[in-house]
Every structure is written in structure tokens, then in C-alpha cells.
Amino acid sequence: MDYPPARRLDLVDDLHGRQVADPYRWLEDAAAAETEQWSSAQDALYAEHRAQLAATLADGQLATDRLTARLSGLMGAGFVGTPAWRGERRFFGRRTGDQEHAVIVVADAPEDTEGRVLVDPIALDPAGTTTLDAWQPSKEGDLLAYQVSHGGTEESVLHVLDVATGEPVDGPIDRARYSPVAWEPGGRAFFYVRRLAPELLPEGEKQYHRRVWRHVVGTDPATDLEVFGDGLDLTNYYGVSVSLDGRWLIVSASPGTAPRVDVWIADLHATAPGDAPRFREVAVGYDAEIAAWVARDGRMYVHTTLDADRGRLMVADPEHPEVAHWTTLVAEDPEAVLEDVALTDDALLVSRRRHAVSELSVHDLAGRRTGEIDLPGLGSIGGLVTRPEGGHEVWFSYTDHTTVSTVQRYDTRTGELSVWATPPGRVADLPDVRVQRVIATSADGTPVRAFVVARADALDADGRPLAPAPTILYGYGGFQISLDPAYSATTLTWVEAGGVYVVANLRGGGEEGEAWHRAGRREQKQHVFEDHQAVAELLIADGWTSTRQLACWGGSNGGLLVGAALTRHPETFAAVICSAPLLDMVRYQKFGLGVTWTDEYGDADDPEQLDWLLGYSPYHRVTQGTAYPATLFTIFDGDTRVDPLHARKLAAELQAKTAGDAPILVRRERGVGHGGRALSRTVALTVEQLQFVAAHTGLAG
């Protein structure tokens, strides 16, 4: 390929005695004319390749129009969320099959099945670049706080509206990114999280320095009462909750994305009007995750990994909240990870994840297991929801690889499980596929599980592949995020076309508990890449695919994963999709939200930790004369989490050094960021990614 010229700097940093080259540092500055010229040339190169590829596929089932229609059809059901009950009123998210964004709906009575739309991002912005980030109704359900952001920036702005009329009553309040909202009874005020004003902060720290505030509805947010956070870690993220009776305020704090959480509690009934609450420690300084809340029965519940790698449920009196006073209600399971609990008037429901597959059990109020709930399949559940004032019902979502997400309802009196709500649209006919598990052995002997999705007619009677097929290997491996079974139009479209789709449960994720996460972070990050390679080699050895037919795909931290895969084992893969990736691990913490991730990856300012990072940093592992696989970087100009500079720098380095003919391309998209996006943009991006992989793994042949 005739790649755009990229000036190569003779720049070598001396970092703690290590000589670290950085030939494309100038590509870090997106606003520089030279960077924009290079990026525009990359846009043109990709457009040329894209046009050729689309023409090649024009007559097959992977033609752009047919692929677009099929993806849209498989997404046609849309989405419906679990209800948030406020008396007889219920709030939920919903998206029809052709809506660009989900909307917030309220139904005023049980017999109201349709509800009315309260917030529609498209009504706010017909261009579709405004996304709904979060929402929370007041305890009585007469007010709704919601947050939106624009252009993919995720810089949430908070608003409040009157539920009865839909009219705005408060806002906008800016700097509310990642802010929970905890309403006081009566709806007069709420607690939330907001960054300090940028003019008060030094350069480079304007995305941090969050505080917990109390806001009185209808007042100037500049007069809000600062409640918590002064003097603590500048990268802290905060959680807030207020008990149903309005007495107890609980605040949690976590430095960046570290797997440890500190918790404090305050008695609001003992707080004078206008004063900041006085907090006492629940658990501070423990290297564990701790989530605490006061339930309607007046007890404090604690979901924690403290002395329980896979999680346990504790209970205490909020008057004596310290760890020494906790007692075990639901003990740790030796294999399954505690995910969520729901308290009804007569039972406690407990959801766990066993090797990434959900299970749900029933316990009495003393924590004793009394039964199991048979779920619809080997899938995932989420969002256990009850009525705040009590009752005998629990709602939750359910999905698996071939089932769109539905809302299930369980009645603790009758033991009946039923489908309570389905998405508003219709899914096109599903392909006949089979899902199975395979187990690879990583370099250190650790078993690594993966889901394999393949067309039924591509398997023999024992479920083995009849012949190697073009295969996508998807992984993430970080931040305790679990890749659980879930419906995916991308997966089904690829498999229907004759491919195999594999989702690997790598260390660094949360599939097997906190120890599994910690075994893939910091100095042990290499395990993630070894796990990924082990799965790839198993797929080849067992006849699922071959090196000429195997692609790896990942985004964000998963983009780092596939960046490491293509630079460590370029011979294993024919194609790579690397989306919104981290790739320069020496300088990652200087950009975006990078400084909040040092607990996950390591701190390059520390000599020992710099060595960890240099051991796998994809940008620093490219070698001259190596034939690298076909690689498509997809980046988004509005991304404020992972700066697109990572993809620019590695793309330039690969283009300069590859000895092969496979293309190294960059797809740039404006008006979107790291997270949510309009449906049509999602479909368009996925079509281009699937076509790229198909062309370079032989599926299009």
C-alpha cells in the first residue's frame, strides 16, 4: 500500500535509564496542521480501500446493503429495561427497532402498558449526537433527574423535569460526568457528584477533583453545599445513596478504577439544616470492594470482596456500621461470583455468575438457601429490582447468545417466573446456531474458558467443526469486566454468513472473581495476552479455524489486547479490528482519563512499573521487516476516555515497518465518542468492520 508520508522523529526519551523511542510524538497533537493533514490522508486512503472492498462484495450476502439490512433486522426488537417503581408509577428505558436512541418512559398506572416518553435524545438533538447517560426518579416519582452529553464527550449535563407535565424544573448543571443522584424524600433536594470548577484547578487536572454536593432543586448550583471529598484522592469516583426514610446517607469512594472502595455513613436526621452531614467510617483502607446500603427494614447490607474473593453479603446495624460489627448473611461460594441481591417482604434473591453464566437462588431473610430459580437458558441476568416500599415481586433482565434481552418477573409467594416485558419490535428470523464452551490452557497452566458460536450445519454430531472457518476472536481482559452470554446482532450476522465467533473469558476480567481480575492487571498483565494466545492456538489446533482465517477484535482495553496480540504474534492472525485502543503504554496516563487507570496497568513514572508497561506496549514492540496482519483502527474524535492519538501513533509505526501486503488502515469518525452512539452509526460501523474482517479472512471468497 502507498501509505501517507509520516515524519519520523529521532526522539528518544531517557526514562529512569531506559532509552525509549517515540518517533511519532507529533501525532499526539490532534489540532496541529501536520497531524490533521496526516489524518485526512488516512481518511482518503481508507475511503479508497473501503470503496474497493464494497465493490468486491457487491454481489454476495456481505454486500453493504444486504449486511446493513440483516444487522438492522437482527437489532429489530429494540430494547426494554427493567422498571424503576415509584408507587404505582414505573419508569423504564425503551428503544424500538428503528429508533436511534433509547428513551425514558413513564407509565402512570399498572394497566398503562405503553407509557409516555419523558426524555427523547433525538427530540433534544435531531442530529443524533446527544446521548442519554443516566437518570433517576425522585423517591415519590414526581421529579426525574437525567443526564445527557453531546458529541460523544460523555461530559454529562444534569437536568430535572416535572414528571406530570414533562416541563423542566432545574438545570442545566454541568461537570456531572459519572454522577449518581440520590434524592431526599419529598424531592426538595438531592445529593450528586460534580467536579470543581476548571478555573480552580491546575492544568492537567480539570477532569478530576470530584466532590459530593447537596443541591436544592431550583437554586443556583454555585450555592450547593459541599458534602464530601475535600482532601481525598483527586481521581476518586464517588457513589451516593439515601435510605428510603431519608435518614441515612452513604458515600463511597474509589481512587480511579482501583478494585478497592471506601465507605462512610451519615445520619441526616441528626444534621442541622444547612450543615454538612457528619460522617463516620463504615470501612476505610481495606483492599477490597465494598458496596453498602440501608434497606427498608432499617438494616445496613454490605456486598463485599473483603475476605471473600468471589463476594459475600454482610449485614449490620447502621448505628454500628464498622467491619467488626458485620455478620455474614450469604457466604462466599467457592466457584460462583456474587453479582446482586434483592430483598422482598419474605425472601432474599441472590444472583451469582458461575464461569460467566448466571444463576439465581432463593434464600430466607436469615440468608438460608431455600431453592433455585430455573432460568430460561445459559445466559446472563441483571438489575434485580423490587418495589422500594416492599412486596413479593422481583424484576430482572435476561439474555443469552440467541435471546434478545427481556424483563422477567419472579413472585416469591408462588415461585412463578414469567416474561414480564419484551422489546417493542420484532427480530428477524434467527440463524440456526449452536453455542458451546471450550477450555484452553494458558502458558502457566491456567484454564481459560471461551464461548464458541457456530452455525449448526458447520458441526458434526459431536459438535466438532466440519472444516476450519473464518473466525473472530473477541476479548477484553481488564477492569473486572465480565464477558457474559448476551444477544449480539454482530455475532449472529457473522455466524450466519459462515463464520465462527468466539468470546474469550480472559484474566483481568471478573468472570472468576477478584483474584481472576488481579491475575491480569499491573505486573501480571502479561497473563491476559497469554490467555488470548492460548485460546487462539486452541481454535487452530481443534480445527475451528486456521491462521489464514483468524481475526481478533477488541475495543478500549480490548483494543490494547489486540494491539498486543498483533505485535506479539503477528503470524497467528490474518486480520485485526482495534477500536478506540490504548497502545502507547508509556504515555497513556498523560491523556484522557489515563491517570485513573494506573492501578490497573501501572504508573510509568515508577521505574519498576515502567518495565511492566514496556514489556507489552504495542507501540514499542513493532519490528522492522515483520509482516503484520491486516489491521483496521477505528477511532472517534469525541473520545475523551481513550485519546485517538494511540491509534494514530501505532498505525504510523506499523505502516512504516510492515513487510507485508496486508493493509494498515485508520477509520476516523466525528461527532461520536467512546460510549453510546446512534443506532444508524452503530450499524454502519459494524458493517465496515465485518466486511474488513471477511475480506481478509476469506469469508468473502
Side-chain angles (χ1 to χ4, degrees):
M1 307 248 338
D2 186 15
Y3 293 114
R7 178 169 57 94
R8 190 174 182 86
L9 302 176
D10 186 20
L11 174 62
V12 179
D13 289 324
D14 186 324
L15 302 176
H16 313 295
R18 289 87 169 152
Q19 302 303 299
V20 181
D22 191 358
Y24 297 107
R25 184 172 295 175
W26 59 272
L27 282 171
E28 292 177 354
D29 185 0
E34 186 178 17
T35 302
E36 178 53 38
Q37 182 180 11
W38 180 88
S39 295
S40 296
Q42 295 290 339
D43 293 343
L45 179 65
Y46 176 67
E48 179 184 354
H49 181 274
R50 170 83 194 129
Q52 294 171 352
L53 191 153
T56 301
L57 300 174
D59 297 327
Q61 64 176 329
L62 294 174
T64 300
D65 55 349
R66 294 184 64 179
L67 197 54
T68 300
R70 188 56 176 144
L71 275 166
S72 300
L74 288 169
M75 295 179 180
F79 164 81
V80 61
T82 52
W85 289 96
R86 298 295 185 268
E88 292 303 304
R89 222 173 221 170
R90 69 185 188 278
F91 299 79
F92 56 98
R94 184 179 67 199
R95 184 182 66 77
T96 61
D98 57 355
Q99 273 184 306
E100 292 283 15
H101 292 281
V103 300
I104 305 173
V105 178
V106 62
D108 294 305
E111 62 272 13
D112 181 4
T113 58
E114 205 49 38
R116 53 192 172 88
V117 175
L118 287 175
V119 181
D120 180 354
I122 289 294
L124 300 175
D125 171 20
T129 60
T130 293
T131 55
L132 178 64
D133 299 329
W135 53 273
Q136 184 67 245
S138 62
K139 284 180 164 47
E140 297 75 22
D142 53 358
L143 296 173
L144 178 77
Y146 68 94
Q147 291 142 268
V148 292
S149 59
H150 309 281
T153 63
E154 299 180 304
E155 284 296 342
S156 297
V157 178
L158 193 153
H159 303 260
V160 179
L161 59 75
D162 183 292
V163 172
T165 65
E167 294 298 315
V169 298
D170 202 358
I173 303 175
D174 63 358
R175 308 194 304 273
R177 183 177 191 168
Y178 304 145
S179 172
V181 171
W183 286 92
E184 293 181 359
R188 178 175 175 270
F190 57 80
F191 296 90
Y192 75 114
V193 177
R194 189 187 193 201
R195 296 196 308 271
L196 295 178
E199 61 269 19
L200 302 177
L201 301 174
E203 203 59 44
E205 295 184 8
K206 298 182 186 299
Q207 294 200 67
Y208 313 116
H209 293 282
R210 296 172 181 82
R211 300 287 190 272
V212 178
W213 309 83
R214 181 179 184 267
H215 176 72
V216 176
V217 174
T219 65
D220 185 347
T223 66
D224 287 352
L225 176 67
E226 184 176 334
V227 169
F228 195 83
D230 185 30
L232 299 182
D233 193 300
L234 66 88
T235 68
N236 269 355
Y237 292 102
Y238 294 101
V240 292
S241 67
V242 173
S243 58
L244 185 64
D245 62 6
R247 179 177 178 184
W248 300 105
L249 169 66
I250 292 182
V251 172
S252 63
S254 177
T257 55
R260 58 184 185 274
V261 181
D262 294 332
V263 179
W264 296 261
I265 191 169
D267 186 346
L268 296 179
H269 287 183
T271 304
D275 288 352
R278 296 182 62 182
F279 288 91
R280 61 188 297 182
E281 293 183 357
V282 175
V284 176
Y286 294 92
D287 188 17
E289 293 189 290
I290 299 164
W293 67 98
V294 177
R296 60 180 175 272
D297 63 3
R299 300 199 294 176
M300 185 182 75
Y301 291 80
V302 183
H303 177 183
T304 183
T305 60
L306 182 61
D307 299 324
D309 172 62
R310 288 178 168 82
R312 58 178 174 161
L313 183 66
M314 315 295 286
V315 67
D317 182 344
E319 298 271 14
H320 305 284
E322 297 83 4
V323 173
H325 299 293
W326 297 358
T327 59
T328 300
L329 192 62
V330 178
E332 179 185 17
D333 186 285
E335 279 192 343
V337 179
L338 180 64
E339 286 288 285
D340 200 1
V341 297
L343 181 68
T344 70
D345 288 350
D346 55 2
L348 180 70
L349 265 64
V350 175
S351 71
R352 288 190 171 96
R353 184 201 305 121
R354 191 177 303 275
H355 307 315
V357 175
S358 289
E359 56 188 38
L360 189 59
S361 57
V362 183
H363 302 243
D364 64 22
L365 298 181
R368 292 182 292 265
R369 186 189 298 251
T370 59
E372 305 290 329
I373 300 173
D374 292 330
L375 296 173
L378 298 179
S380 307
I381 65 174
L384 299 182
V385 171
T386 60
R387 293 179 183 269
E389 66 275 12
H392 302 275
E393 300 165 295
V394 181
W395 292 264
F396 58 89
S397 64
Y398 173 82
T399 183
D400 58 41
H401 286 102
T402 57
T403 305
V404 296
S405 183
T406 59
V407 179
Q408 305 279 324
R409 171 187 170 274
Y410 180 76
D411 190 320
T412 59
R413 293 166 298 185
T414 64
E416 178 188 5
L417 178 67
S418 59
V419 176
W420 190 76
T422 57
R426 179 183 177 276
V427 176
D429 294 336
L430 296 178
D432 186 10
V433 304
R434 298 290 182 269
V435 182
Q436 56 187 283
R437 299 293 288 272
V438 296
I439 303 177
T441 302
S442 195
D444 64 353
T446 299
V448 181
R449 292 173 171 81
F451 293 99
V452 178
V453 187
R455 217 164 63 184
D457 61 6
L459 305 174
D460 65 18
D462 296 320
R464 294 189 296 263
L466 295 173
T471 296
I472 292 172
L473 172 57
Y474 184 86
Y476 188 80
F479 296 96
Q480 206 189 34
I481 291 173
S482 177
L483 298 186
D484 303 328
Y487 180 86
S488 167
T490 302
T491 298
L492 294 174
T493 300
W494 176 259
V495 172
E496 182 178 55
V500 173
Y501 201 99
V502 181
V503 178
N505 298 137
L506 311 172
R507 277 177 285 188
E511 292 89 350
E512 305 292 342
E514 180 54 27
W516 186 256
H517 168 220
R518 293 180 186 235
R521 64 191 271 272
R522 295 174 64 78
E523 72 274 18
Q524 302 197 80
K525 188 67 178 177
Q526 299 280 0
H527 288 156
V528 184
F529 313 132
E530 292 166 358
D531 292 356
H532 184 265
Q533 183 66 16
V535 175
E537 291 175 359
L538 178 76
L539 296 172
I540 295 166
D542 286 359
W544 290 100
T545 191
S546 66
T547 56
R548 298 188 309 277
Q549 298 169 295
L550 179 59
C552 58
W553 187 325
S556 192
N557 174 75
L560 169 60
L561 168 68
V562 300
L566 81 91
T567 52
R568 290 162 64 96
H569 298 285
E571 74 288 348
T572 302
F573 303 97
V576 178
I577 299 292
C578 188
S579 187
L582 281 160
L583 298 165
D584 179 351
M585 299 308 293
V586 172
R587 291 173 58 80
Y588 81 94
Q589 66 202 65
K590 299 179 183 294
F591 304 95
L593 296 180
V595 75
T596 67
W597 304 328
T598 55
D599 198 85
E600 183 76 14
Y601 299 124
D603 183 348
D605 292 334
D606 178 280
E608 180 186 9
Q609 297 180 38
L610 174 63
D611 287 340
W612 306 342
L613 297 162
L614 281 172
Y616 64 83
S617 178
Y619 176 57
H620 300 92
R621 291 185 61 90
V622 180
T623 57
Q624 185 72 47
T626 298
Y628 287 100
T631 302
L632 176 61
F633 296 98
T634 59
I635 58 175
F636 316 109
D637 275 1
D639 194 338
T640 59
R641 278 194 243 177
V642 180
D643 196 298
L645 69 87
H646 289 273
R648 291 195 294 266
K649 292 175 73 173
L650 182 58
E653 183 76 333
L654 287 171
Q655 289 175 351
K657 290 185 174 179
T658 187
D661 296 326
I664 311 295
L665 300 170
V666 181
R667 180 194 188 274
R668 178 171 59 152
E669 188 172 357
R670 294 181 170 87
V672 292
H674 201 84
R677 58 176 48 225
L679 176 67
S680 58
R681 283 181 177 262
T682 298
V683 171
L685 172 62
T686 306
V687 165
E688 294 183 31
Q689 291 170 321
L690 286 176
Q691 289 181 325
F692 183 88
V693 173
H696 295 288
T697 60
L699 188 64

